[in-house]
Amino acid sequence: MSVVFYWHPMSSATPVACALAELGVAHDRVRIDIRNGEQRTPEYLAINPNGKVPCLVVDGTPIFEGLAIHLWLGDRFGVARGLWPAADTPERLQALSWCAWAYVTYAAMINRLMLATREGPLRDSVQAAAAGQGAAELLGLLEDRLGSQPWMLGGDYSLVDLVVAQVVGYGTYVGAGVDAYPAVAAWLAQVQARPAMQGEV
């Protein structure tokens, strides 16, 4: 199988870089300089019409959007490596739910918080307070889950932990801190300490 990873360091491609490392997936990398607009060139748009990173090309067929890539990686490589639940199991349903929760529900809230707090036309203290409260409520859900088990799916680390932790970790940089959630904070530190999370990603 040929896998080509289009990426830029310290970008939304970082979680996929970490997942590829965690799963030990052999791949080639093509750096797309998003600062210079390479993601909008005709050559790259022919691969990813969304004009963003990350993107994988698998045996000539592109797959883009971080969540879609994670789910494919989990299904294709994670089951055999014990890092993703098998199909038709209750754990698989939980994996899909929590990954979507991170990339859709929680990410939307922290993006709302970021826009309302940074300098610019969308800065709004009322919206910032509302988004902060929304993020706190969502972190409370995560605290409840991790307060009763060490990892997202139970007793063992999985790709779900990597996916959720990447979004929660990003949230800490935009004002959604986890200090008030001891189980989340301890879990996040454990995930971030894994070898796959280190290095140039």
Side-chain angles (χ1 to χ4, degrees):
M1 174 181 290
S2 168
V3 177
V4 182
F5 176 40
Y6 292 83
W7 74 304
H8 184 87
M10 303 305 293
S11 72
S12 56
T14 294
V16 172
C18 294
L20 289 166
E22 189 73 65
L23 293 167
V25 178
H27 63 281
D28 296 316
R29 289 195 181 192
V30 178
R31 181 168 173 159
I32 300 296
D33 194 338
I34 59 176
R35 297 167 301 182
N36 293 335
E38 286 185 5
Q39 74 276 24
R40 304 303 302 175
T41 63
E43 294 79 10
Y44 186 65
L45 289 173
I47 298 167
N48 180 3
N50 203 34
K52 297 180 179 180
V53 292
C55 181
L56 290 185
V57 175
V58 181
D59 290 338
T61 300
I63 176 172
F64 58 92
E65 288 294 335
L67 178 58
I69 294 170
H70 281 302
L71 298 180
W72 178 78
L73 287 172
D75 187 59
R76 178 62 180 80
F77 300 101
V79 177
R81 289 166 172 77
L83 291 170
W84 189 254
D88 301 322
T89 62
E91 292 78 15
R92 173 65 71 90
L93 299 181
Q94 288 290 292
L96 297 175
S97 297
W98 282 105
C99 287
W101 177 88
Y103 261 74
V104 180
T105 303
Y106 191 67
M109 190 62 70
I110 61 174
N111 284 332
R112 181 180 163 196
L113 177 62
M114 178 185 67
L115 291 172
T117 54
R118 72 180 183 182
E119 292 293 337
L122 297 179
R123 185 167 185 158
D124 184 312
S125 60
V126 174
Q127 288 295 321
Q133 179 60 35
E137 291 173 1
L138 293 172
L139 286 172
L141 296 179
L142 196 56
E143 179 73 12
D144 288 344
R145 185 167 187 84
L146 293 169
S148 62
Q149 58 190 40
W151 301 106
M152 290 299 301
L153 296 184
D156 297 310
Y157 172 85
S158 73
L159 193 62
V160 180
D161 295 285
L162 185 153
V163 172
V164 177
Q166 290 278 7
V167 182
V168 172
Y170 174 71
T172 65
Y173 291 105
V174 301
V178 298
D179 290 347
Y181 308 91
V184 173
W187 160 85
L188 182 61
Q190 285 185 283
V191 177
Q192 292 177 336
R194 291 183 68 83
M197 305 288 278
Q198 313 305 314
E200 185 184 11
V201 292

